[in-house]
């Protein structure tokens, strides 16, 4: 008799743990990704406000595998050497932004720029996307802070057009 009640208790406890773990994963779909309410833009934000609830395209680009160009130490590296164009551009450091202004680079198919900031001093290397050439398809900028950063700090870090939506995530890697 005692074994049956113990088995039932452990079964209930196991079921509870599994359901809590499953719930945690389903509610974490936003993954702590926030959108900057207003960026330092030079244009009006009417087109940006029309798309506030439409994040599916951003999540599909940011969280799924796509052809990607990686920039680090002022050099480019493609995720696959055979690709001719990529939909993502990822900066692994904040010191390589001058590559955006080089005329010999073709970023016309890039829809998402991901910027990884490793320390607060990286916020001093500001990025101005209004002056960048060749970004005909750019829709999103995704900033990953590997430290605690605020929305106000990021607003002064990035300057973009109103048509470009800026998302950010602040996390501390373990």
């Amino acid at each position: 008799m005692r074994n049956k009640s113990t088995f039932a208790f452990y079964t209930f406890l196991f079921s509870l743990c599994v359901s809590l773990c499953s719930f945690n994963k389903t509610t974490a779909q936003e993954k702590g990704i926030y959108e900057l309410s207003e960026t330092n833009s030079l244009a009006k934000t009417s087109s940006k406000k029309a798309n506030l609830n439409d994040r599916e395209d951003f999540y599909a680009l940011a969280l799924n595998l796509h052809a990607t160009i990686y920039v680090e130490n002022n050099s480019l590296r493609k995720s696959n050497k055979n690709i001719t164009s990529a939909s993502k551009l990822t900066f692994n450091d904040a010191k390589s932004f001058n590559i955006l202004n080089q005329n010999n680079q073709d970023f016309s198919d890039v829809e998402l720029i991901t910027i990884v900031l490793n320390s607060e001093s990286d916020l001093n290397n500001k990025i101005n996307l209004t002056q960048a050439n060749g970004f005909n398809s750019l829709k999103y900028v995704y900033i990953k802070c590997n430290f605690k950063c605020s929305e106000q700090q990021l607003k002064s870090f990035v300057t973009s057009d109103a048509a470009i939506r800026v998302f950010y995530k602040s996390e501390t890697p373990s």
Side-chain angles (χ1 to χ4, degrees):
M1 181 78 165
R2 184 172 185 266
N3 287 339
K4 287 185 180 181
S5 63
T6 304
F7 178 72
F9 174 73
Y10 285 130
T11 304
F12 171 73
L13 189 62
F14 177 73
S15 301
L16 181 66
C17 290
V18 168
S19 66
L20 287 177
C21 291
S22 300
F23 178 72
N24 188 19
K25 289 188 180 201
T26 58
T27 58
Q29 292 302 311
E30 286 291 320
K31 300 192 183 302
I33 298 174
Y34 305 101
E35 185 171 359
L36 290 182
S37 57
E38 300 174 7
T39 57
N40 291 336
S41 62
L42 300 176
K44 297 188 186 237
T45 60
S46 61
S47 65
K48 185 175 179 180
K49 288 181 181 177
N51 295 325
L52 282 178
N53 295 326
D54 185 23
R55 289 189 175 195
E56 291 82 20
D57 292 339
F58 166 73
Y59 287 133
L61 277 171
L63 304 177
N64 295 334
L65 293 176
H66 292 279
T68 306
I69 300 172
Y70 295 95
V71 180
E72 190 169 17
N73 297 327
N74 287 321
S75 63
L76 297 175
R77 181 177 51 87
K78 296 181 179 181
S79 61
N80 183 349
K81 293 179 182 179
N82 297 328
I83 61 171
T84 56
S85 64
S87 57
K88 292 170 63 172
L89 178 67
T90 299
F91 286 93
N92 289 327
D93 64 7
K95 298 173 186 157
S96 302
F97 294 145
N98 59 355
I99 208 158
L100 295 175
N101 297 325
Q102 294 178 357
N103 291 332
N104 60 347
Q105 303 301 329
D106 180 29
F107 299 123
S108 60
D109 294 331
V110 171
E111 296 180 33
L112 170 71
I113 294 178
T114 303
I115 302 169
V116 178
L117 301 176
N118 294 313
S119 66
E120 286 193 45
S121 64
D122 288 343
L123 291 170
N124 295 330
N125 299 325
K126 300 186 184 318
I127 183 167
N128 187 348
L129 295 172
T130 59
Q131 298 174 348
N133 297 326
F135 286 97
N136 303 332
S137 303
L138 185 62
K139 299 176 187 174
Y140 310 105
V141 174
Y142 179 36
I143 303 170
K144 295 180 184 178
C145 295
N146 290 333
F147 57 92
K148 189 73 173 167
C149 62
S150 69
E151 184 175 348
Q152 197 61 29
Q153 288 173 313
L154 295 176
K155 283 181 184 178
S156 65
F157 171 71
V158 64
T159 304
S160 66
D161 292 337
I164 300 172
R165 296 173 64 187
V166 180
F167 295 90
Y168 70 96
K169 180 177 184 177
S170 179
E171 58 186 20
T172 351
S174 50

